[in-house]
Each structure stands twice: as structure tokens, then as C-alpha cells.
Amino acid sequence: MAEEALPKVLVLGPPTCFSTLEPLYSHKFHFLNPNPNSTLQHLMRFHHPSSIRALLCAANCSVSADVLRLLPSLRLVLTTSAGTDHIDLRECRRRRIQVAAAGGIFSEDVADAAVALLLDVMRKISAADRYLRTPNHGNRRWDFFTLGSKLSGKRIGIVGLGSIGMEVAKRLESFGCIILYTSKHKKATVSYPFYSSVVQLATTCDALVACCALNEQTKRIINREVILALGKGGFIVNVGRGGLIDEKELVKCLMEGEIGGAGLDVFENEPHVPRELLQMNNVVLSPHCAAFTVEASMDLCGLVGGNLEAFFSNRPLTNSVTLVE
């Protein structure tokens, strides 16, 4: 079938998995992959908007009401992220546009990364690596390197006990950690102590791991009060979204020694990272890549391709997002 006769899928980002996805499904779909330096309006000059019924986007692409208005025939938004905070779900509901996300595909990989960040910042692994790489380190006694903190036996508070949070808890239990949590609702299926307040949770914990979805209720849920409640020996790990933490207050508390350290995979204004964080030895940083594994990428390609096939064949989607008012 000629490319122009294939169903059109607008690709924004593009997602990191797109280079793998495109050759696998280019015989079934005509992917419109605009140059990152060009605008969506520019693309629409070459492809009639009414011919585009599906959109594929990455987590760093805003699918706002303005974007949706440019696509009057759009009936599907696929995101390669577990979160949907970059999509105007209210407008999608009004327009009866279906939305599907990655669901739990990344849960295990993100949980692995969360524990790695926590272990790294507490045991100062990256700091020790930098120490050995500095000039003349051999002229200094190694036993003067600053002490780390043990992870085993620590009280870890999980902010958001969803699929990722549960995987984090499972891994930390093997370290002998005591798990506590806060979530939208108390989970009847778990025995971990539940706290309705993040401040109360922080007061009782040695570390917090943020892995909940970002929405109006969770925006900056970890604020200065929470950080101070965690205390000078406490640690924060964020593998959810940057907006879950008041980043300016976190930087300030780190600089003032009000908290022990942080492991951050996400930031409020990506790809911008506060320069103060780059200078701190008690902070471990990664570029929003907790979900990036070869295995997850292949699984994601299968999910996205399967959802596109289902949509254009009028079959139910996998991991569809429930659009509520």
C-alpha cells in the first residue's frame, strides 16, 4: 500500500522509542514526524488536518487544547509515558478523543532506578566516584572520605502507592526497610502503615520516594514544610514528575543543610536543571531516564503498535485512560 493511503499518525517529540517503532510499523501507518525545529502549524500546510485521526507523543510534549484544536478529526492520543499530565484530558473528554498511556510497562524499571538513586545518594556512590577521579586524590587518605548512611532498616515513606510505588516497596523490603506510605486512598490490600498527610509521613521517615502522578492535588506536594519534617538526616528521591516537589525550596533546604540529600530523575522545568544542584555532592541526578531500558522500549513499541492497530480496526485499546470530569 502506498504511504499516502496508510492511516496517518502525527508524531510529536518524537518519543525515544520512535526510532525502533517506525521501521516495525511503517508498512501499516504513515507517521508524520515533524522536524523538532518546525511548528505544528507549518506541518499542517503539507498535510490536511482532517486526515489525521491519531497522535503519538512523548512525555515532554504538551498536548494542549490549542494543539487539539488544530486537529479537528483527531480521535486518539497515545503517550509513551505512564503519566498524562502533559495532555489536556478535559479537552479530550469534551472532544471524545480516546487517550492511552504506557500503564505499568515501566513500573519495574522505574522502581529499580528509584532504589538505585536512594542507595547512591545515601552511600555516596557517585560522590565517591567523583572523588577518585579528581587530580591528586592519591595524595589524600581515603579513610577521610565522608561517611554515608546505611539503607537497611531505614523507614521509607512512599508518596503514591500505585504500580511503581508497590514495586519500590517490594524492593526495599528486601533491604529490611520499614515501608510507610501516603496515597490518594488507603490500600485495603497492603499492611503498610498509611498516612493521610505527607507532612506526618515525612516526620516518621528517614527517606521519601515520590512516584505518584502529577495533578492539581499533587503539585508541589513535597514543599518546605515536608522537607523540614523529614529533617537534616533525611533523603528524598523523585522518579514521578518534577512538579511533585517545590524545587526552589528543595534547593534552598539542601544548601542550608536542612536535608541529607536527594536523588532526582525529574525536574520542574525540564530540560533545565538548577545549577546549584550540579555542584552538590549530596545530590544524584539523572535525565528523566528511569524508564529507559532496552526491554521496556521493546514492550512499549508493541503496546503502541498494538493500540494503533486496535484503534484503526475499531477494537478496544490497551491501557486506555478513563476521562472523568
Side-chain angles (χ1 to χ4, degrees):
M1 186 182 294
E3 186 179 62
E4 285 301 320
L6 296 173
K8 292 181 180 179
V9 180
L10 176 63
V11 182
L12 299 182
T16 54
C17 70
F18 185 66
S19 59
T20 304
L21 175 76
E22 185 176 27
L24 292 174
Y25 290 94
S26 59
H27 65 293
K28 293 185 176 182
F29 309 108
H30 181 192
F31 293 107
L32 308 178
N33 181 217
N35 187 315
N37 297 320
S38 67
T39 64
L40 184 56
Q41 290 88 340
H42 181 264
L43 179 74
M44 293 300 99
R45 295 178 186 175
F46 302 96
H47 297 279
H48 202 284
S50 62
S51 67
I52 300 172
R53 297 176 58 214
L55 182 154
L56 172 63
C57 67
N60 60 351
C61 270
S62 174
V63 184
S64 64
D66 289 339
V67 170
L68 294 172
R69 283 191 203 96
L70 293 173
L71 304 163
S73 299
L74 191 69
R75 292 296 176 266
L76 173 66
V77 173
L78 288 177
T79 178
T80 56
S81 65
T84 56
D85 52 286
H86 56 298
I87 302 170
D88 190 330
L89 298 180
R90 183 173 297 177
E91 182 67 10
C92 287
R93 183 184 184 281
R94 190 187 72 79
R95 290 264 306 272
R96 296 184 179 180
I97 297 171
Q98 296 184 77
V99 178
I105 278 182
F106 300 130
S107 296
E108 292 186 351
D109 299 308
V110 174
D112 287 348
V115 174
L117 285 170
L118 183 59
L119 193 58
D120 191 332
V121 71
M122 291 183 72
R123 291 303 308 272
K124 301 182 182 293
I125 296 171
S126 291
D129 178 81
R130 286 191 297 272
Y131 174 82
L132 283 182
R133 293 174 188 272
T134 56
N136 302 317
H137 71 80
N139 297 330
R140 290 172 285 175
R141 289 175 56 189
W142 288 5
D143 57 358
F144 282 135
F145 186 76
T146 54
L147 297 175
S149 299
K150 67 186 296 181
L151 174 58
S152 57
K154 289 294 191 291
R155 297 171 64 87
I156 311 296
I158 298 178
V159 182
L161 200 66
S163 60
I164 294 173
M166 285 298 298
E167 292 294 336
V168 172
K170 185 192 305 180
R171 285 154 177 73
L172 290 175
E173 278 189 338
S174 68
F175 282 87
C177 293
I178 300 166
I179 308 299
L180 313 93
Y181 77 101
T182 186
S183 205
K184 186 175 181 181
H185 303 292
K186 185 177 181 179
K187 310 287 184 181
T189 56
V190 302
S191 59
Y192 308 134
F194 169 75
Y195 290 78
S196 58
S197 162
V198 185
V199 176
Q200 291 176 353
L201 178 67
T203 302
T204 65
C205 289
D206 301 298
L208 291 178
V209 179
C211 43
C212 60
L214 178 63
N215 52 47
E216 288 303 316
Q217 290 71 44
T218 61
K219 188 174 183 180
R220 295 185 178 175
I221 193 172
I222 299 176
N223 53 27
R224 183 174 180 83
E225 184 182 8
V226 172
I227 297 169
L228 294 179
L230 189 57
K232 297 179 184 294
F235 297 87
I236 290 177
V237 165
N238 188 4
V239 290
R241 286 288 186 269
L244 297 174
I245 298 179
D246 187 328
E247 195 167 79
K248 289 183 179 178
E249 288 297 335
L250 175 62
V251 170
K252 187 175 180 182
C253 287
L254 284 164
M255 293 178 69
E256 294 171 350
E258 297 291 350
I259 183 176
L264 306 171
D265 180 57
V266 287
F267 307 89
E268 271 202 281
N269 300 298
E270 294 177 4
H272 171 71
V273 178
R275 59 181 178 82
E276 297 90 343
L277 294 177
L278 302 175
Q279 312 302 320
M280 297 180 185
N281 257 344
N282 61 338
V283 176
V284 180
L285 308 170
S286 64
H288 202 151
C289 63
F292 290 5
T293 65
V294 172
E295 295 83 356
S297 180
M298 291 305 299
D299 289 344
L300 184 60
C301 287
L303 176 68
V304 171
N307 269 331
L308 287 172
E309 290 175 330
F311 171 74
F312 287 109
S313 300
N314 295 314
R315 292 185 280 108
L317 303 177
T318 302
N319 294 340
S320 60
V321 177
T322 301
L323 304 180
V324 296
E325 291 190 55

